[in-house]
Amino acid sequence: MGENRQVWFMRQAGRYLPEYRKVRKRAGGFLNLCFSPDMACEVTLQPIRRFDFSHAIIFSDILTVPHALGYDVTIDEHKGGPLVETLYKPDDVFSLEDYDRSIVQPVLEAITLTRKALPKEKKLIGFCGAPWTLAVYMLQGRSQLHNQETFLFAHRNPEAFAALIAHLTAQIISYLGQQIEAGCDTIQIFDSWASFLSPELFTDYVLKPHYQIFSSLKAQYPNVTLVGFPRGAGGAYKDYARESGCDVMGCDQSVSINDMQAFQKNCAVQGNLDPFLLLAGGDKLISKTLELKRLYETGPYIFNLGHGVLPQTPIAHISQTLSTLHQT
């Protein structure tokens, strides 16, 4: 696969694959799978074997940092996803300590195993949740419509919230550094709940922390590719491309092709294919794939989805998309 045809899918290791479902059943639980190095390595490699993606993404979870900070994390894939034990009052923020490195050690072992098993030309992506998104889960337990509890906490307790974001930023820098040293050559920050933020909040709690994370990692690991995904950022994508310090910016399906071409002047872009269109298949999927394919010609681009592969997605639709993409 040529360098100008880089492609991977968010949640490319997941329930749409029968081989994944077998390992997931053996693991007995999502987090058990995340923290079992051999099995996490195996499911990371499965989509590479099947589809020959240019990137493998280590099988883990965006909430590993809160878990390692001592907050109970449970994940039910069938009933609304993650649930996190919450901070009870603003003063709790000021007693947070550094994350327990022994908890993340299985993830690091999985990275090392995967890097050894991957062909040399394949990229290995490590990741974690961004400060704002982690704060959402730590303050309200799970994502909610508009995440109003997090917004109210930020407005009513600005010092405590700023301290929470600062602490999470420091923990993320350390954890991602460990992932790089374990074998990752690409790092992605997932800000899954970056929508509905005012320009001021977006600057303070997305742009500035992301810039701090990227600049710190780039200073320590200059050859690592740094990817930011401020999902739902809307008009703020433009500012993110210019000011976050990322090498690659992930775009959800709401972003226009023209805007993505404009962003390519500041950084590489990634994503944009609607996961529901991938699920539906048909002529519209082929047409959109060909439209996105043109981004390879206008600047640096990585073909990807606007969010993760949906569990019901037929494997044939992914094969069809990749076949269309790789046609000359």
CSV table of all heavy atoms in Angstrom, one decimal, residues 34-37 58-61 63-70 98-112 127-128 171 174-179 182:
chain,number,residue,atom,x,y,z
A,34,CYS,N,-9.1,-5.8,27.1
A,34,CYS,CA,-8.2,-4.7,27.0
A,34,CYS,C,-6.9,-4.9,27.8
A,34,CYS,O,-5.8,-4.5,27.4
A,34,CYS,CB,-8.8,-3.4,27.5
A,34,CYS,SG,-10.1,-2.7,26.4
A,35,PHE,N,-7.1,-5.6,29.0
A,35,PHE,CA,-6.0,-5.8,29.9
A,35,PHE,C,-5.4,-7.2,29.9
A,35,PHE,O,-4.6,-7.6,30.8
A,35,PHE,CB,-6.4,-5.4,31.3
A,35,PHE,CG,-6.7,-3.9,31.5
A,35,PHE,CD1,-7.9,-3.5,31.7
A,35,PHE,CD2,-5.6,-3.0,31.4
A,35,PHE,CE1,-8.2,-2.1,31.9
A,35,PHE,CE2,-5.9,-1.6,31.6
A,35,PHE,CZ,-7.2,-1.2,31.8
A,36,SER,N,-5.6,-7.9,28.8
A,36,SER,CA,-5.0,-9.2,28.5
A,36,SER,C,-4.1,-9.0,27.3
A,36,SER,O,-4.6,-9.0,26.2
A,36,SER,CB,-6.0,-10.3,28.3
A,36,SER,OG,-6.9,-10.4,29.4
A,37,PRO,N,-2.8,-8.9,27.5
A,37,PRO,CA,-1.9,-8.5,26.4
A,37,PRO,C,-2.0,-9.4,25.2
A,37,PRO,O,-2.0,-8.9,24.1
A,37,PRO,CB,-0.5,-8.6,27.1
A,37,PRO,CG,-0.7,-8.3,28.5
A,37,PRO,CD,-2.1,-8.9,28.8
A,58,ILE,N,-4.0,0.0,18.7
A,58,ILE,CA,-3.9,-1.0,19.8
A,58,ILE,C,-5.3,-1.1,20.5
A,58,ILE,O,-6.0,-0.1,20.7
A,58,ILE,CB,-2.8,-0.5,20.8
A,58,ILE,CG1,-2.5,-1.7,21.8
A,58,ILE,CG2,-3.2,0.7,21.6
A,58,ILE,CD1,-1.8,-2.9,21.1
A,59,PHE,N,-5.7,-2.3,20.8
A,59,PHE,CA,-7.0,-2.5,21.4
A,59,PHE,C,-6.9,-2.1,22.8
A,59,PHE,O,-6.3,-2.8,23.7
A,59,PHE,CB,-7.4,-3.9,21.2
A,59,PHE,CG,-8.9,-4.1,21.6
A,59,PHE,CD1,-9.9,-3.9,20.6
A,59,PHE,CD2,-9.3,-4.5,22.9
A,59,PHE,CE1,-11.2,-4.0,21.0
A,59,PHE,CE2,-10.6,-4.6,23.2
A,59,PHE,CZ,-11.6,-4.4,22.2
A,60,SER,N,-7.6,-1.0,23.1
A,60,SER,CA,-7.6,-0.5,24.5
A,60,SER,C,-8.9,0.4,24.7
A,60,SER,O,-9.8,0.2,23.9
A,60,SER,CB,-6.3,0.3,24.8
A,60,SER,OG,-6.3,0.7,26.1
A,61,ASP,N,-8.9,1.3,25.6
A,61,ASP,CA,-10.1,2.1,25.8
A,61,ASP,C,-9.7,3.5,26.1
A,61,ASP,O,-8.6,3.8,26.7
A,61,ASP,CB,-10.9,1.6,27.0
A,61,ASP,CG,-12.3,2.3,27.1
A,61,ASP,OD1,-13.1,2.1,26.2
A,61,ASP,OD2,-12.4,3.1,28.0
A,63,LEU,N,-10.7,5.4,28.4
A,63,LEU,CA,-10.9,5.7,29.8
A,63,LEU,C,-9.8,5.0,30.7
A,63,LEU,O,-10.0,4.9,31.9
A,63,LEU,CB,-12.3,5.3,30.3
A,63,LEU,CG,-13.4,6.1,29.6
A,63,LEU,CD1,-14.8,5.5,30.0
A,63,LEU,CD2,-13.3,7.6,29.9
A,64,THR,N,-8.7,4.6,30.1
A,64,THR,CA,-7.7,3.9,30.8
A,64,THR,C,-7.1,4.8,31.9
A,64,THR,O,-6.8,4.4,33.0
A,64,THR,CB,-6.6,3.4,29.9
A,64,THR,OG1,-7.1,2.5,29.0
A,64,THR,CG2,-5.5,2.7,30.7
A,65,VAL,N,-6.9,6.1,31.6
A,65,VAL,CA,-6.4,7.0,32.6
A,65,VAL,C,-7.2,7.2,33.8
A,65,VAL,O,-6.7,7.0,34.9
A,65,VAL,CB,-6.1,8.4,31.9
A,65,VAL,CG1,-5.8,9.5,33.0
A,65,VAL,CG2,-4.9,8.3,31.0
A,66,PRO,N,-8.6,7.4,33.7
A,66,PRO,CA,-9.4,7.5,34.9
A,66,PRO,C,-9.3,6.2,35.7
A,66,PRO,O,-9.3,6.2,36.9
A,66,PRO,CB,-10.8,7.8,34.4
A,66,PRO,CG,-10.6,8.5,33.1
A,66,PRO,CD,-9.3,7.9,32.5
A,67,HIS,N,-9.3,5.1,35.0
A,67,HIS,CA,-9.2,3.8,35.6
A,67,HIS,C,-7.9,3.6,36.4
A,67,HIS,O,-7.9,3.2,37.6
A,67,HIS,CB,-9.3,2.6,34.6
A,67,HIS,CG,-9.3,1.3,35.1
A,67,HIS,ND1,-10.3,0.8,36.0
A,67,HIS,CD2,-8.4,0.2,35.0
A,67,HIS,CE1,-10.0,-0.5,36.3
A,67,HIS,NE2,-8.9,-0.8,35.7
A,68,ALA,N,-6.8,4.1,35.8
A,68,ALA,CA,-5.5,4.0,36.5
A,68,ALA,C,-5.4,5.1,37.6
A,68,ALA,O,-4.5,5.0,38.5
A,68,ALA,CB,-4.4,4.2,35.5
A,69,LEU,N,-6.3,6.1,37.6
A,69,LEU,CA,-6.3,7.1,38.7
A,69,LEU,C,-7.1,6.6,39.9
A,69,LEU,O,-7.2,7.3,40.9
A,69,LEU,CB,-7.0,8.4,38.2
A,69,LEU,CG,-6.1,9.3,37.3
A,69,LEU,CD1,-6.9,10.4,36.7
A,69,LEU,CD2,-4.9,9.8,38.1
A,70,GLY,N,-7.7,5.4,39.8
A,70,GLY,CA,-8.4,4.8,40.9
A,70,GLY,C,-9.9,4.8,40.8
A,70,GLY,O,-10.6,4.5,41.7
A,98,ASP,N,-1.1,10.8,40.9
A,98,ASP,CA,-0.7,10.3,39.6
A,98,ASP,C,-1.3,8.9,39.4
A,98,ASP,O,-1.6,8.2,40.3
A,98,ASP,CB,0.9,10.2,39.5
A,98,ASP,CG,1.5,11.6,39.4
A,98,ASP,OD1,0.8,12.6,39.1
A,98,ASP,OD2,2.8,11.6,39.7
A,99,TYR,N,-1.4,8.6,38.1
A,99,TYR,CA,-2.0,7.3,37.8
A,99,TYR,C,-1.1,6.1,38.2
A,99,TYR,O,0.1,6.3,38.3
A,99,TYR,CB,-2.4,7.2,36.3
A,99,TYR,CG,-1.2,7.1,35.4
A,99,TYR,CD1,-0.7,5.9,35.0
A,99,TYR,CD2,-0.7,8.3,34.8
A,99,TYR,CE1,0.4,5.8,34.1
A,99,TYR,CE2,0.3,8.2,33.9
A,99,TYR,CZ,0.9,7.0,33.5
A,99,TYR,OH,1.9,6.9,32.7
A,100,ASP,N,-1.7,5.0,38.5
A,100,ASP,CA,-1.0,3.8,38.9
A,100,ASP,C,-0.4,3.1,37.7
A,100,ASP,O,-1.2,2.6,36.9
A,100,ASP,CB,-2.0,2.9,39.7
A,100,ASP,CG,-1.3,1.6,40.2
A,100,ASP,OD1,-0.2,1.3,39.8
A,100,ASP,OD2,-1.9,0.9,41.1
A,101,ARG,N,0.9,3.1,37.5
A,101,ARG,CA,1.5,2.6,36.3
A,101,ARG,C,1.3,1.1,36.2
A,101,ARG,O,1.4,0.6,35.1
A,101,ARG,CB,3.0,3.0,36.3
A,101,ARG,CG,3.1,4.5,36.1
A,101,ARG,CD,4.6,4.9,35.8
A,101,ARG,NE,4.6,6.3,35.4
A,101,ARG,CZ,5.5,6.8,34.5
A,101,ARG,NH1,6.3,6.0,33.9
A,101,ARG,NH2,5.5,8.1,34.2
A,102,SER,N,1.1,0.4,37.3
A,102,SER,CA,0.9,-1.1,37.2
A,102,SER,C,-0.4,-1.4,36.5
A,102,SER,O,-0.5,-2.5,35.9
A,102,SER,CB,0.9,-1.7,38.6
A,102,SER,OG,-0.2,-1.3,39.4
A,103,ILE,N,-1.4,-0.5,36.6
A,103,ILE,CA,-2.6,-0.8,35.9
A,103,ILE,C,-2.5,-0.7,34.4
A,103,ILE,O,-3.1,-1.5,33.7
A,103,ILE,CB,-3.7,0.2,36.5
A,103,ILE,CG1,-4.0,-0.1,37.9
A,103,ILE,CG2,-5.0,0.1,35.6
A,103,ILE,CD1,-5.0,0.8,38.6
A,104,VAL,N,-1.7,0.2,33.9
A,104,VAL,CA,-1.6,0.3,32.5
A,104,VAL,C,-0.5,-0.6,31.9
A,104,VAL,O,-0.4,-0.7,30.7
A,104,VAL,CB,-1.2,1.8,32.1
A,104,VAL,CG1,-2.2,2.8,32.6
A,104,VAL,CG2,0.2,2.2,32.5
A,105,GLN,N,0.2,-1.3,32.7
A,105,GLN,CA,1.3,-2.2,32.2
A,105,GLN,C,0.8,-3.2,31.2
A,105,GLN,O,1.5,-3.4,30.2
A,105,GLN,CB,2.0,-2.9,33.4
A,105,GLN,CG,3.2,-3.6,33.0
A,105,GLN,CD,4.3,-2.8,32.4
A,105,GLN,OE1,4.5,-1.6,32.7
A,105,GLN,NE2,5.0,-3.3,31.4
A,106,PRO,N,-0.4,-3.8,31.4
A,106,PRO,CA,-0.8,-4.8,30.4
A,106,PRO,C,-1.0,-4.1,29.0
A,106,PRO,O,-0.8,-4.8,28.0
A,106,PRO,CB,-2.1,-5.3,30.9
A,106,PRO,CG,-2.0,-5.1,32.4
A,106,PRO,CD,-1.2,-3.9,32.6
A,107,VAL,N,-1.5,-2.9,29.0
A,107,VAL,CA,-1.6,-2.2,27.7
A,107,VAL,C,-0.2,-2.0,27.0
A,107,VAL,O,-0.1,-2.2,25.8
A,107,VAL,CB,-2.3,-0.8,27.9
A,107,VAL,CG1,-2.4,-0.1,26.6
A,107,VAL,CG2,-3.7,-1.0,28.5
A,108,LEU,N,0.7,-1.6,27.8
A,108,LEU,CA,2.1,-1.5,27.3
A,108,LEU,C,2.7,-2.8,26.8
A,108,LEU,O,3.3,-2.8,25.7
A,108,LEU,CB,3.0,-0.9,28.3
A,108,LEU,CG,2.5,0.4,29.0
A,108,LEU,CD1,3.5,0.9,30.0
A,108,LEU,CD2,2.3,1.5,27.9
A,109,GLU,N,2.4,-3.9,27.5
A,109,GLU,CA,2.8,-5.2,27.0
A,109,GLU,C,2.2,-5.6,25.7
A,109,GLU,O,2.8,-6.1,24.8
A,109,GLU,CB,2.5,-6.2,28.1
A,109,GLU,CG,3.4,-6.1,29.3
A,109,GLU,CD,3.0,-7.0,30.4
A,109,GLU,OE1,2.2,-8.0,30.1
A,109,GLU,OE2,3.4,-6.8,31.6
A,110,ALA,N,0.9,-5.2,25.6
A,110,ALA,CA,0.2,-5.5,24.3
A,110,ALA,C,0.8,-4.7,23.2
A,110,ALA,O,0.9,-5.2,22.0
A,110,ALA,CB,-1.3,-5.2,24.5
A,111,ILE,N,1.2,-3.5,23.4
A,111,ILE,CA,1.8,-2.7,22.4
A,111,ILE,C,3.1,-3.3,21.9
A,111,ILE,O,3.4,-3.4,20.7
A,111,ILE,CB,2.0,-1.2,22.9
A,111,ILE,CG1,0.7,-0.5,23.1
A,111,ILE,CG2,3.0,-0.5,22.0
A,111,ILE,CD1,0.8,0.8,23.8
A,112,THR,N,3.9,-3.7,22.9
A,112,THR,CA,5.2,-4.3,22.5
A,112,THR,C,5.0,-5.6,21.7
A,112,THR,O,5.7,-5.9,20.7
A,112,THR,CB,6.0,-4.6,23.8
A,112,THR,OG1,6.2,-3.4,24.5
A,112,THR,CG2,7.3,-5.3,23.5
A,127,PHE,N,-3.3,5.5,21.9
A,127,PHE,CA,-4.3,6.5,22.1
A,127,PHE,C,-4.8,6.6,23.6
A,127,PHE,O,-4.5,5.8,24.4
A,127,PHE,CB,-5.5,6.3,21.2
A,127,PHE,CG,-6.4,5.1,21.6
A,127,PHE,CD1,-7.5,5.3,22.4
A,127,PHE,CD2,-6.0,3.8,21.2
A,127,PHE,CE1,-8.2,4.2,22.8
A,127,PHE,CE2,-6.8,2.7,21.5
A,127,PHE,CZ,-7.9,2.9,22.4
A,128,CYS,N,-5.5,7.7,23.8
A,128,CYS,CA,-6.3,7.8,25.0
A,128,CYS,C,-7.3,8.9,24.9
A,128,CYS,O,-7.3,9.7,23.9
A,128,CYS,CB,-5.4,8.1,26.3
A,128,CYS,SG,-4.7,9.7,26.3
A,171,GLN,N,-1.3,13.7,33.2
A,171,GLN,CA,-1.3,12.2,33.2
A,171,GLN,C,-1.3,11.7,31.8
A,171,GLN,O,-0.7,10.6,31.5
A,171,GLN,CB,-2.6,11.8,33.9
A,171,GLN,CG,-2.7,12.3,35.4
A,171,GLN,CD,-1.5,12.0,36.2
A,171,GLN,OE1,-1.1,10.8,36.4
A,171,GLN,NE2,-0.9,13.0,36.7
A,174,SER,N,2.2,11.7,30.2
A,174,SER,CA,3.0,10.6,30.8
A,174,SER,C,2.6,9.2,30.2
A,174,SER,O,3.4,8.5,29.7
A,174,SER,CB,2.8,10.6,32.3
A,174,SER,OG,3.6,9.5,32.8
A,175,TYR,N,1.3,9.0,30.1
A,175,TYR,CA,0.8,7.7,29.6
A,175,TYR,C,1.1,7.5,28.1
A,175,TYR,O,1.5,6.5,27.7
A,175,TYR,CB,-0.7,7.6,29.9
A,175,TYR,CG,-1.4,6.4,29.4
A,175,TYR,CD1,-0.9,5.1,29.6
A,175,TYR,CD2,-2.6,6.5,28.7
A,175,TYR,CE1,-1.5,4.0,29.1
A,175,TYR,CE2,-3.3,5.4,28.2
A,175,TYR,CZ,-2.7,4.1,28.4
A,175,TYR,OH,-3.3,3.0,27.9
A,176,LEU,N,0.9,8.6,27.3
A,176,LEU,CA,1.1,8.5,25.9
A,176,LEU,C,2.6,8.3,25.7
A,176,LEU,O,3.1,7.6,24.8
A,176,LEU,CB,0.6,9.7,25.2
A,176,LEU,CG,-0.9,9.8,25.1
A,176,LEU,CD1,-1.3,11.1,24.4
A,176,LEU,CD2,-1.6,8.6,24.5
A,177,GLY,N,3.5,8.9,26.5
A,177,GLY,CA,4.9,8.7,26.4
A,177,GLY,C,5.3,7.3,26.6
A,177,GLY,O,6.1,6.7,25.9
A,178,GLN,N,4.6,6.7,27.6
A,178,GLN,CA,4.8,5.2,27.9
A,178,GLN,C,4.4,4.4,26.7
A,178,GLN,O,5.1,3.4,26.3
A,178,GLN,CB,4.1,4.8,29.1
A,178,GLN,CG,4.7,5.2,30.4
A,178,GLN,CD,4.0,4.4,31.6
A,178,GLN,OE1,2.9,4.7,32.0
A,178,GLN,NE2,4.7,3.5,32.1
A,179,GLN,N,3.3,4.8,26.0
A,179,GLN,CA,2.9,4.0,24.8
A,179,GLN,C,3.9,4.1,23.7
A,179,GLN,O,4.2,3.1,23.0
A,179,GLN,CB,1.5,4.5,24.4
A,179,GLN,CG,0.4,4.2,25.3
A,179,GLN,CD,-1.0,4.5,24.7
A,179,GLN,OE1,-1.2,4.2,23.6
A,179,GLN,NE2,-1.8,5.1,25.5
A,182,ALA,N,6.8,2.0,24.4
A,182,ALA,CA,6.5,0.6,24.3
A,182,ALA,C,6.5,0.1,22.8
A,182,ALA,O,6.5,-1.1,22.5
A,182,ALA,CB,5.2,0.3,25.0
